[in-house]
Amino acid sequence: MPSYIKKCPECGSINLFWNKDRGEIICRDCGLVIEDKMVDFTQEWHNFDSDSSEKRRRAGAPMTYTQFDQGLGTDIGRKADLSVLTTKNRNKFFRLRKWQYRISTAIERNLKLALAELKRVASYLKLPGSVEEEAARVYTLAVQKGLVRGRSMESVVAGALYAACRRHEVPRTLDELSEASGIEKKEIGRTYRFVTRELGITIFPSNPADYIARFSSALKLSAETQSNAIEILEQAQKAELTSGRGPTGIAAAALYVSALLHGEKRTQREVADVAGVTEVTIRNRYKELLEKLKLEKEIKKLKKKKI
DNA sequence: AAGACGAAAGTGGTTGA
DNA sequence: TCAACAACTTTCGTCTT
């Protein structure tokens, strides 16, 4: 314990605890971290939760993936009878072992960095643990296939997360991923497509209904409006208005109509912002919805009532 | 004054030769 | 590999409330 620290500046307690591994000095009474001199490379892993079991899980999952890697790869052993080999073959043997060592440590190092980044982005987006794990798995596979080469680690992480979100039906838009990871939208899209294609991951086109809940709460709309929006979406799907169109645009338009019908009017601008599309797109989808779903009457009725 | 609407031109991605 | 194409965006002017 450094001598210049005598008591906790927060509560005055002298009951201090020095965690040498972490380089922290912690007050046992109020929990304040008084000193953390040591550079802590595991920082992000702890920043976002206080729960200790969570901490362990965070550290645990990546290790299983690195173990998993060991399980797949075959180690070049040390106990072979080298005397039966020719000099040439013996040199080859040593060379191979050296290379394997280099490659496996490189992969591990990359994984550690990448998974820390993945945690950071995932918790920024408040993604559930299952998605995070899936993304970690996808990323690990990508590393093993050498898909990261020539691409930035961060963009592959973002792509893996995007894929995991889609698979678990908790889609985030590319814009959100982009904001969280600091990678350009098109770059994420590109690595996403590349990685899923190379790994043979098939992903169904995302369902507009998956977006409704999130957009709806962002706009502070009622539950009825939300469920009605989903009904509108189902009708739209039957009328084949959804194929080929951006799911976010459709979701936004359905929500916009539903809000109108429930007297919770939001401007096109507001809806467009949370959905990450433009007003124009909402207008186009909105127009189609009105035409095909016979909703004009209802809208007109509403207008008359107000006048 | 703000929102809604629509036209026109531009962008990035997919598809089919 | 390139051009055609559809969806979407941006921009801007006009109409409505």
Side-chain angles (χ1 to χ4, degrees):
Chain A
M1 174 87 67
S3 57
Y4 56 89
I5 293 180
K6 300 231 160 43
K7 59 181 184 180
C8 172
E10 185 72 26
C11 67
S13 164
I14 54 163
N15 189 9
L16 304 179
F17 168 65
W18 188 17
N19 182 335
K20 290 187 186 177
D21 291 335
R22 301 278 308 280
E24 289 172 350
I25 296 165
I26 300 160
C27 172
R28 280 207 168 95
D29 288 335
C30 69
L32 178 75
V33 178
I34 300 162
E35 191 57 68
D36 54 346
K37 283 251 152 158
M38 202 166 93
V39 179
D40 187 355
F41 289 104
T42 65
Q43 201 186 32
E44 305 94 306
W45 298 37
H46 303 286
N47 258 354
F48 298 97
D49 344 277
S50 46
D51 188 344
S52 69
S53 69
E54 270 282 310
K55 267 184 201 165
R56 214 160 292 133
R57 189 188 65 72
R58 281 171 164 270
M63 282 314 292
T64 53
Y65 291 122
T66 54
Q67 294 285 352
F68 176 56
D69 166 50
Q70 298 267 342
L72 267 188
T74 314
D75 269 356
I76 296 172
R78 304 167 169 278
K79 295 198 172 171
D81 186 357
L82 299 181
S83 60
V84 302
L85 299 173
T86 62
T87 314
K88 200 175 158 190
N89 274 335
R90 208 181 311 169
N91 285 338
K92 188 178 173 188
F93 175 83
F94 283 126
R95 229 173 30 245
L96 286 175
R97 195 165 71 187
K98 190 170 164 189
W99 271 106
Q100 201 210 22
Y101 173 75
R102 281 190 188 166
I103 290 169
S104 66
T105 52
I107 287 180
E108 252 177 58
R109 217 172 328 168
N110 183 315
L111 266 180
K112 269 185 193 161
L113 276 171
L115 292 172
E117 168 71 5
L118 197 149
K119 298 276 175 202
R120 192 186 67 72
V121 178
S123 68
Y124 184 93
L125 291 172
K126 301 185 173 55
L127 294 172
S130 56
V131 171
E132 200 178 303
E133 302 248 336
E134 173 80 7
R137 216 195 83 229
V138 170
Y139 185 84
T140 310
L141 289 173
V143 171
Q144 282 162 2
K145 272 212 161 188
L147 303 181
V148 189
R149 176 156 301 188
R151 256 162 276 270
S152 80
M153 184 202 84
E154 289 90 345
S155 68
V156 181
V157 166
L161 268 171
Y162 184 63
C165 286
R166 296 274 297 266
R167 287 204 108 187
H168 286 255
E169 299 186 341
V170 283
R172 299 291 122 124
T173 62
L174 278 176
D175 282 312
E176 291 167 298
L177 252 305
S178 173
E179 198 208 324
S181 64
I183 307 287
E184 261 185 86
K185 199 167 107 181
K186 54 182 175 180
E187 177 66 19
I188 299 178
R190 199 162 40 212
T191 51
Y192 157 74
R193 272 191 306 278
F194 179 72
V195 167
T196 49
R197 182 156 38 86
E198 289 298 314
L199 295 179
I201 299 172
T202 49
I203 290 176
F204 302 107
S206 66
N207 184 347
D210 295 332
Y211 291 100
I212 290 289
R214 229 153 33 81
F215 293 169
S216 172
S217 76
L219 291 166
K220 299 187 171 52
L221 293 168
S222 68
E224 298 92 73
T225 305
Q226 185 177 332
S227 59
N228 188 239
I230 290 176
E231 279 170 32
I232 292 174
L233 275 181
E234 281 166 3
Q235 293 175 40
Q237 258 160 6
K238 276 181 196 156
E240 295 182 337
L241 287 177
T242 55
S243 74
R245 271 71 192 272
T248 48
I250 297 169
L255 210 48
Y256 175 70
V257 176
S258 182
L260 276 182
L261 294 175
H262 283 79
E264 298 182 298
K265 187 166 164 45
R266 298 291 182 274
T267 65
Q268 294 181 348
R269 174 88 254 142
E270 288 171 307
V271 182
D273 277 344
V274 301
V277 295
T278 59
E279 299 158 87
V280 183
T281 303
I282 293 189
R283 281 203 287 277
N284 291 336
R285 293 297 92 79
Y286 167 67
K287 212 167 66 183
E288 291 167 4
L289 285 177
L290 291 192
E291 280 168 12
K292 302 273 177 169
L293 300 182
K294 316 285 181 210
L295 288 170
E296 293 121 314
K297 291 175 199 164
E298 309 208 25
I299 297 282
K300 279 177 187 166
K301 267 186 216 165
L302 267 175
K303 282 185 181 169
K304 277 182 188 171
K305 267 185 191 173
K306 280 185 183 169
I307 297 168

